[in-house]
Amino acid sequence: MRRMLLAKYAPSSLPVSNADGESEGLKDFLNAQYYGPITIGGQNFNILFDTGSSNLWVPCKGCPINDIACQLHEKYDCTKSSTCNETTTPFVIQYGSGSMKGHVDYDTVCFGGAASNLCVKNQGFACATAEPGLAFVAAKFDGILGMGWPQISVDNLQPPFQGLMMDKTNCPNGQFAFWLSRAGTTTTGGEMTLCGTDSNHYSGTIAWEKITRDAYWQIAADLVTINGNTIDTNFAAIVDTGTSLLAGPVDKVKQIQQAIGATSLGNGEYMVECANIPTLPPVTFTLGGQNFTLQGSDYVLKVTQLGQTICLSGFMGIDIPPPAGPLWILGDVFIGKFYTVFDVENNRLGFAQSK
């Protein structure tokens, strides 16, 4: 995870209608992978919607037999689509565990499946012929759909949501939003709402923060405190649906781990006693003068394997060097507590209490 985040941020080192937008149900695997359906040229894929990147890629027919990740997932076949425009333009994304390699194709991409009217024609994407390492072998999703800004798109390919926004008939509101369930069930994993918000999934008003950098969804944060004690001040934060944990500078996160009595597992992960969750201290992020507080039950992940349950700290230390860093990454641990709205038209992020 740490290597993939460093590569991401510092590469050199069934649709449901509502009044506001079109909502798509998400599945959840262990509160770590939230994914949902799209079609490309009428072909079905499960996709991780990632606000920390800006490219769409899926496995490609013809990938090598020894590419296990590709063989275990759905593969795009240009010959099965009447709207496919295949090219030989190479495409590479560098991850910490290796490169995702392929070529650029163009086809019609529909959010939510073939019945959706939220489609982008002639959308450029990567048809992946090689996936790196073991990271994607066990993934429940086939590929990734980046929902970040065009400035960080490899090969300057327009992110799909940017194209969707141009269709003001079907997408009059240039927003998308995420509600992530933390129940750990695949059937009700969460919801992504396109072209608006869904008031069924948040309470109170939405607090807005201006974007400070049109690349990642980055904002300026005031404070992070634990039990009233200051951990960091005046820092940059990125909101990233593609990061399952909540990451920050190593020395700052170490203070949090010590304060919650977490024990290092030696691989960057920390464990806490499950029985201590009700008494763990609150961790508060202050954004624009407003407090967003996580309780122990919000920032501890319960993982059950072979009948045994362990509780892992939802915080991870990572030092991202300049110019991208230092920064905090508010991943699914944060978004699971606070309904998050990505407002493209107004260049801002919104947060509200999730229902």
Side-chain angles (χ1 to χ4, degrees):
M1 172 71 76
R2 179 180 289 105
R3 285 170 58 84
M4 291 184 72
L5 286 176
L6 281 170
K8 188 176 188 179
Y9 293 109
S12 61
S13 60
L14 295 175
V16 179
S17 286
N18 64 65
D20 297 317
E22 293 292 325
S23 295
E24 173 178 330
L26 302 176
K27 293 184 178 181
D28 168 24
F29 179 68
L30 299 178
N31 289 343
Q33 299 178 28
Y34 292 89
Y35 54 96
I38 68 167
T39 63
I40 305 177
Q43 301 168 51
N44 297 312
F45 298 92
N46 279 314
I47 292 294
L48 177 74
F49 300 101
D50 177 22
T51 61
S53 66
S54 295
N55 287 95
L56 167 62
W57 67 264
V58 293
C60 195
K61 181 185 178 183
C63 58
I65 192 68
N66 61 353
D67 188 332
I68 301 174
C70 182
Q71 299 302 327
L72 292 177
H73 292 91
E74 295 294 329
K75 291 171 279 294
Y76 175 77
D77 185 349
C78 181
T79 65
K80 293 183 178 180
S81 171
S82 62
T83 50
C84 173
N85 177 15
E86 188 174 24
T87 81
T88 58
T89 303
F91 184 96
V92 178
I93 291 181
Q94 186 68 41
Y95 291 97
S97 55
S99 298
M100 190 286 289
K101 299 180 181 180
H103 61 269
V104 176
D105 285 346
Y106 293 83
D107 209 333
T108 298
V109 174
C110 295
F111 292 84
S116 172
N117 62 352
L118 297 181
C119 300
V120 183
K121 296 180 179 180
N122 202 36
Q123 170 65 51
F125 67 98
C127 199
T129 55
E131 297 178 53
L134 297 176
F136 295 101
V137 172
K140 298 298 181 180
F141 53 88
D142 302 309
I144 294 176
L145 190 151
M147 303 185 79
W149 296 87
Q151 286 86 335
I152 58 170
S153 175
V154 176
D155 289 353
N156 295 314
L157 294 174
Q158 178 176 264
F161 187 75
Q162 297 285 333
L164 183 63
M165 280 180 49
M166 297 178 183
D167 181 5
K168 291 302 181 182
T169 299
N170 292 312
C171 189
N173 189 334
Q175 297 176 341
F176 59 90
F178 282 87
W179 167 72
L180 302 182
S181 170
R182 304 299 280 175
T185 61
T186 59
T187 52
T188 55
E191 180 184 274
M192 176 180 67
T193 300
L194 295 164
C195 309
T197 60
D198 186 349
S199 57
N200 292 315
H201 287 306
Y202 69 91
S203 59
T205 59
I206 297 174
W208 297 102
E209 293 295 322
K210 294 296 293 184
I211 300 301
T212 57
R213 181 180 175 217
D214 289 348
Y216 304 104
W217 286 90
Q218 182 171 318
I219 57 176
D222 304 326
L223 286 170
V224 57
T225 61
I226 181 165
N227 214 20
N229 297 315
T230 299
I231 299 296
D232 204 354
T233 61
N234 300 321
F235 54 90
I238 287 171
V239 182
D240 183 2
T241 58
T243 297
S244 56
L245 303 181
L246 205 163
V250 171
D251 62 329
K252 307 297 183 182
V253 171
K254 187 174 292 186
Q255 295 178 53
I256 294 178
Q257 308 288 25
Q258 292 172 346
I260 66 176
T263 302
S264 174
L265 298 178
N267 57 355
E269 294 182 331
Y270 283 74
M271 183 179 70
V272 298
E273 294 292 335
C274 296
N276 294 341
I277 292 177
T279 59
L280 291 177
V283 177
T284 299
F285 286 82
T286 305
L287 311 174
Q290 183 163 332
N291 292 336
F292 297 86
T293 299
L294 300 168
Q295 303 295 338
S297 56
D298 301 318
Y299 62 74
V300 172
L301 287 72
K302 291 185 177 181
V303 179
T304 301
Q305 293 181 332
L306 302 177
Q308 298 294 318
T309 298
I310 62 171
C311 291
L312 299 175
S313 167
F315 296 96
M316 179 180 67
I318 177 172
D319 288 325
I320 298 174
L327 51 78
W328 287 75
I329 304 171
L330 308 183
D332 297 343
V333 167
F334 186 88
I335 300 169
K337 179 68 178 291
F338 302 106
Y339 186 82
T340 304
V341 184
F342 299 80
D343 190 338
V344 180
E345 287 187 345
N346 296 297
N347 206 36
R348 61 183 183 172
L349 273 165
F351 305 100
Q353 184 73 42
S354 289
K355 286 185 181 179

